[in-house]
């Protein structure tokens, strides 16, 4: 199980602008290529274990982060220090969860959610909304994105 950002993997891009901040929909544009890479890797794995996950985080130590991988469905591991049940908290904030939403695990300060597969742009916007609304980053925030290798599960 993932428990936080792992920036030991391949950093695909630094999407900050020259002023040190993100502008408008730049965050969604930064998130989408990582999701597309995950989708391509998932299409090629043919029953083999999941190898990659996308990591999205603020460039500050200990700040909010979201990790995503595909295993038939979308698995979202995220920083979650809040006391409310995750899906109830999203509803309270007015955030529409993706279809098929279910809580897989809560182990504060993180939780794992699962969703049905959706188009790349929909997932990218959902991740952006977690940062803008749930983590209260506002519309213009810096985001670090990476495609990381998932450690093999012991078994």
């Amino acid at each position: 199980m993932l428990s936080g950002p792992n920036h030991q993997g391949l950093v695909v891009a630094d999407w900050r602008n020259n002023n040190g901040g993100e502008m408008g929909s730049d965050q969604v544009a930064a998130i989408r290529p990582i999701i597309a890479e995950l989708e391509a890797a998932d299409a090629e794995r043919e029953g083999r274990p999941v190898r990659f996950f996308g990591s999205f985080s603020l460039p500050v130590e200990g700040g909010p982060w979201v990790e995503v991988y595909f295993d038939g469905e979308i698995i979202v591991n995220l920083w979650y220090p809040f006391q409310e049940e995750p899906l109830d908290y999203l509803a309270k904030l007015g955030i529409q969860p993706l279809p098929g939403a279910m809580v897989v695990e809560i182990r504060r300060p993180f939780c794992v959610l699962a969703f049905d597969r959706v188009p790349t742009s929909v997932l990218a916007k959902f991740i952006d909304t977690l940062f803008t609304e749930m983590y209260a980053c506002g519309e213009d925030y810096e985001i670090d994105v990476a495609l990381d290798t998932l450690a093999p599960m012991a078994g």
Side-chain angles (χ1 to χ4, degrees):
M1 187 59 57
L2 303 173
S3 63
N6 175 0
H7 298 290
Q8 304 302 313
L10 172 66
V11 176
V12 174
D14 181 351
W15 295 91
R16 286 170 261 180
N17 68 20
N18 292 335
N19 297 323
E22 292 286 356
M23 301 304 291
S25 63
D26 288 350
Q27 296 88 344
V28 173
I31 294 166
R32 282 201 332 238
I34 299 296
I35 295 169
E37 289 287 334
L38 293 172
E39 290 171 333
D42 186 57
E44 294 173 1
R45 72 183 175 97
E46 300 174 351
R48 293 184 304 264
V50 175
R51 293 191 52 219
F52 301 104
F53 68 98
S55 177
F56 311 94
S57 62
L58 298 182
V60 293
E61 185 71 27
W65 49 265
V66 176
E67 298 171 331
V68 176
Y69 68 92
F70 296 102
D71 192 10
E73 58 196 350
I74 301 168
I75 306 297
V76 178
N77 180 40
L78 61 129
W79 182 67
Y80 193 78
F82 312 105
Q83 292 305 309
E84 294 94 336
E85 189 275 341
L87 297 179
D88 291 343
Y89 191 58
L90 291 177
K92 178 179 166 182
L93 295 174
I95 299 171
Q96 179 68 39
L98 298 175
M102 66 180 232
V103 176
V104 175
E105 180 178 13
I106 302 173
R107 208 180 321 166
R108 287 179 183 83
F110 75 92
C111 75
V112 180
L113 306 175
F115 304 100
D116 294 342
R117 295 291 283 262
V118 295
T120 302
S121 60
V122 173
L123 179 54
K125 182 61 182 158
F126 177 74
I127 293 168
D128 176 59
T129 301
L130 292 176
F131 282 98
T132 59
E133 302 298 325
M134 187 168 76
Y135 300 139
C137 294
E139 294 296 319
D140 296 327
Y141 63 94
E142 294 180 23
I143 188 166
D144 289 340
V145 300
L147 182 65
D148 292 308
T149 302
L150 190 62
M153 299 291 263

